[in-house]
Amino acid sequence: MRAQKNYQKMLEATIAGLKEQNRVPTLLLHSCCAPCSSYCLEYLSQYFHITVDYYNPNIYPEEEYHMRVQEQQRLIRELPAKYPIAFREGAYDKERFYEMARGMEEEKEGGERCFRCYELRLREAAETAKSLGMDYFTTTLSISPLKNAEKLNEIGDALAEEYGVAYLNSDFKKKNGYKRSVELSEQYGMYRQYYCGCVFSKRERDAQIAAKAAAQGI
Ligand code: SF4
């Protein structure tokens, strides 16, 4: 049986190496939303010059997309950071997401559609990191207990090889990362969405809420 890698330990080893070299590299941090990015930014901005990359063509509906962008920008403005954090917004090319998801609309969250969705967004991050000449790229996605950190890191490593930009291995839910993101969301009064992002995850979550309410006779 294949031993599971500890991606948090790998991140700690990378940071220890950077400290030893007295080096503060650049990092393109793909972010899905402000709440998920909060802990990642608090943690990583001590060691990296970060550019937050908001590329999420999966988000539905459009108003939700714009609200998440605004919350992301507000958090960056308000969060104290040792090194200033920059922001860039990618294209909201929804058609690219629907094209990718075709035939997998009924998949449950956490299945193949999600793995392709990780890949879609990480590929854009790798391309952007390369074009901006950044040292590393990674994503906030692993902070969610619903996201598969192993898959994210495998995809990140494969893209690192393809694009020649290092993937910062990580599993942000570890060391109470998820808990800290919930605390920071409350502290900054952040809008915290109730579904992952795409129309399919919204439908799935709405159905769960309706089933729960029906079971409780509400
Ligand atoms: S549930 Fe989330 S990760 Fe999965 S396809 Fe939808 S937006 Fe992407």
Side-chain angles (χ1 to χ4, degrees):
M1 207 172 71
R2 199 158 54 95
Q4 277 234 327
K5 288 184 181 169
N6 186 325
Y7 295 105
Q8 171 61 28
K9 284 256 168 350
M10 289 169 78
L11 174 59
E12 285 169 18
T14 303
I15 290 172
L18 294 173
K19 278 184 182 165
E20 228 173 80
Q21 297 162 40
N22 216 1
R23 198 177 144 229
V24 182
T26 51
L27 166 69
L28 189 90
L29 176 66
H30 164 264
S31 172
C32 55
C33 61
C36 286
S37 74
S38 59
Y39 162 75
C40 306
L41 288 172
E42 182 182 65
Y43 180 25
L44 298 174
S45 64
Q46 302 169 66
Y47 311 109
F48 296 89
H49 292 289
I50 300 176
T51 296
V52 169
D53 175 42
Y54 195 90
Y55 176 73
N56 298 293
N58 50 318
I59 306 298
Y60 170 89
E62 199 158 333
E63 305 80 67
E64 173 78 20
Y65 172 86
H66 294 299
M67 195 145 62
R68 292 194 194 194
V69 172
Q70 278 167 21
E71 278 296 76
Q72 182 69 73
Q73 290 173 305
R74 179 172 74 83
L75 177 69
I76 292 170
R77 279 196 305 274
E78 294 180 6
L79 193 78
K82 184 170 177 186
Y83 301 106
I85 299 166
F87 173 82
R88 74 175 297 282
E89 183 182 353
Y92 183 38
D93 42 12
K94 293 174 278 185
E95 291 319 311
R96 203 170 158 201
F97 172 76
Y98 290 114
E99 177 71 25
M100 179 285 296
R102 190 170 301 149
M104 293 182 285
E105 292 85 350
E106 301 307 321
E107 287 254 348
K108 290 225 174 306
E109 183 177 346
E112 184 60 27
R113 187 190 67 233
C114 296
F115 298 160
R116 305 267 188 97
C117 182
Y118 302 167
E119 208 263 348
L120 175 76
R121 292 181 280 169
L122 276 172
R123 178 171 292 283
E124 186 75 13
E127 261 174 37
T128 306
K130 188 179 173 69
S131 72
L132 296 177
M134 308 208 60
D135 299 309
Y136 290 92
F137 74 103
T138 195
T139 177
T140 61
L141 286 167
S142 68
I143 200 160
S144 163
L146 295 174
K147 301 286 185 302
N148 184 325
E150 193 168 6
K151 204 75 190 168
L152 284 163
N153 280 277
E154 278 173 15
I155 295 168
D157 285 340
L159 291 167
E161 187 98 347
E162 192 178 330
Y163 287 90
V165 184
Y167 184 72
L168 187 68
N169 290 115
S170 40
D171 186 358
F172 295 114
K173 71 179 75 54
K174 294 284 163 68
K175 291 190 92 177
N176 281 330
Y178 178 69
K179 186 168 168 271
R180 180 67 185 146
S181 76
V182 174
E183 282 168 11
L184 285 166
S185 299
E186 277 170 23
Q187 188 182 329
Y188 286 87
M190 270 183 268
Y191 161 66
R192 199 175 179 87
Q193 59 280 351
Y194 72 97
Y195 61 102
C196 180
C198 66
V199 64
F200 315 116
S201 63
K202 185 172 188 305
R203 273 185 211 149
E204 191 180 332
R205 190 78 190 105
D206 286 342
Q208 286 165 354
I209 293 167
K212 198 172 166 196
Q216 291 169 344
I218 298 171

